[in-house]
Amino acid sequence: MTTLQTAQPLPIVSMQQAGKQFGNGPGAIVALANITTEIHDGEFIALCGPSGSGKSTLLNLMAGIDYPTSGQVYLLGNDLSLLNDQQTARLRADAIGFVFQFFNLLPVLSVFDNVYYPLMLNGFSRRVAQQRVMEMLERVGLAAHYQRIPSELSGGQQQRVAIARALVKRPRLVVADEPTGNLDSRTGQEIIDLLLTMNQQLKTTFVISTHSLALRDQAKRVLEIRDGKLEYDSVSV
Ligand SMILES: Nc1ncnc2c1ncn2[C@@H]1O[C@H](COP(=O)(O)OP(=O)(O)O)[C@@H](O)[C@H]1O
Ligand SMILES: [Mg+2]
């Protein structure tokens, strides 16, 4: 009798002994060393570690924003070292959404246009995109404010717009770099709740760097880095 093998789902991100060094020679900084890990569909991961431990660098490698200087990073099965910049940019535009600590909204654009922006870059007309933008603003609780500009919103509201912008193209993975780092703890908790809800409702995968113990407690998986090394993974792959 033959044994049927269960097909392993392709990870969204696979890192094999990935490292990142900035500069060369005696002044070189080893930001990451020998990171081996996988990210799978549906995960909600808190990436923890002190300032300077390599969290942002790791998120940048996972998202194909930056390249490893040793080892391999595979994004949706593609070895990033074999793609040119344009191919990597295409993959990123299709598959990855970003959320930042300081929101990074475009200040002169309305809430609607900030969320529409990634769809515009992917070739959607404003008319075709309208329903998707408004549905996403509905999900983050900001549909009523679609005509405002970012400076007319609170910090928490601006981060909700940024989350809508990250999610509107339905990416496989959202990386968020300290998304509650610029918010008071109550507003931060509201943002954590929203990210958890989006993970449940849309099945979007999240990797979120954070100093928040609340987020660490509520994440399905915790990764901890220290001095560029992966010290702990609550779900060892
Ligand atoms: N572009 C860069 N050039 C040189 N060093 C960098 C650069 N980016 C980050 N680093 C260094 O890499 C290490 C990790 O930084 P980072 O990933 O930003 O940590 P974290 O996000 O955990 O605070 C730090 O020592 C930082 O100074
Ligand atoms: Mg950082």
Side-chain angles (χ1 to χ4, degrees):
M1 221 169 90
T2 50
T3 313
L4 284 178
Q5 293 229 326
T6 319
Q8 283 281 2
L10 188 67
I12 302 174
V13 176
S14 171
M15 305 181 94
Q16 303 297 324
Q17 308 246 311
K20 179 72 179 180
Q21 177 175 325
F22 291 104
N24 286 300
I29 292 167
V30 178
L32 292 174
N34 283 326
I35 307 282
T36 297
T37 191
E38 289 183 352
I39 313 268
H40 290 272
D41 274 313
E43 290 201 290
F44 190 95
I45 302 173
L47 173 60
C48 304
S51 291
S53 58
K55 300 184 295 301
S56 296
T57 306
L58 184 56
L59 292 180
N60 289 345
L61 292 194
M62 285 178 175
I65 291 177
D66 207 349
Y67 293 93
T69 48
S70 57
Q72 269 78 43
V73 177
Y74 300 88
L75 191 50
L76 302 175
N78 299 278
D79 182 345
L80 291 183
S81 68
L82 302 179
L83 303 185
N84 63 32
D85 285 353
Q86 198 187 351
Q87 290 168 321
T88 307
R90 184 75 257 154
L91 194 58
R92 218 168 41 220
D94 287 341
I96 317 272
F98 300 93
V99 177
F100 306 94
Q101 181 174 3
F102 296 104
F103 323 136
N104 292 23
L105 299 174
L106 292 166
V108 298
L109 294 187
S110 68
V111 165
F112 181 97
D113 281 323
N114 266 283
V115 177
Y116 166 51
Y117 194 73
L119 294 180
M120 185 194 79
L121 295 180
N122 281 15
F124 285 78
S125 76
R126 215 167 179 282
R127 191 183 57 77
V128 170
Q130 181 155 7
Q131 198 184 346
R132 265 171 79 166
V133 172
M134 289 311 294
E135 189 223 309
M136 203 49 77
L137 286 174
E138 203 74 66
R139 285 185 186 276
V140 302
L142 280 176
H145 297 327
Y146 77 100
Q147 289 178 306
R148 294 201 187 177
I149 57 169
S151 62
E152 295 169 335
L153 301 176
S154 70
Q157 288 173 324
Q158 290 186 53
Q159 195 60 303
R160 286 169 182 274
V161 176
I163 290 165
R165 176 183 59 183
L167 289 168
V168 73
K169 59 184 185 189
R170 297 290 175 102
R172 290 281 291 277
L173 171 67
V174 170
V175 298
D177 199 355
E178 303 196 30
T180 64
N182 193 38
L183 302 171
D184 64 75
S185 62
R186 206 194 61 152
T187 309
Q189 185 57 51
E190 288 169 6
I191 292 299
I192 294 168
D193 290 342
L194 176 63
L195 296 173
L196 283 164
T197 303
M198 296 296 106
N199 173 249
Q200 281 154 15
Q201 290 181 353
L202 301 174
K203 312 293 175 211
T204 312
T205 306
F206 287 91
V207 183
I208 308 166
S209 78
T210 190
H211 292 285
S212 158
L213 295 178
L215 180 44
R216 186 196 169 99
D217 283 348
Q218 291 169 83
K220 295 176 187 167
R221 178 179 171 194
V222 175
L223 294 177
E224 204 166 284
I225 55 171
R226 198 166 284 270
D227 295 329
K229 296 186 190 73
L230 194 53
E231 295 259 297
Y232 172 76
D233 182 350
S234 64
V235 180
S236 286
V237 187

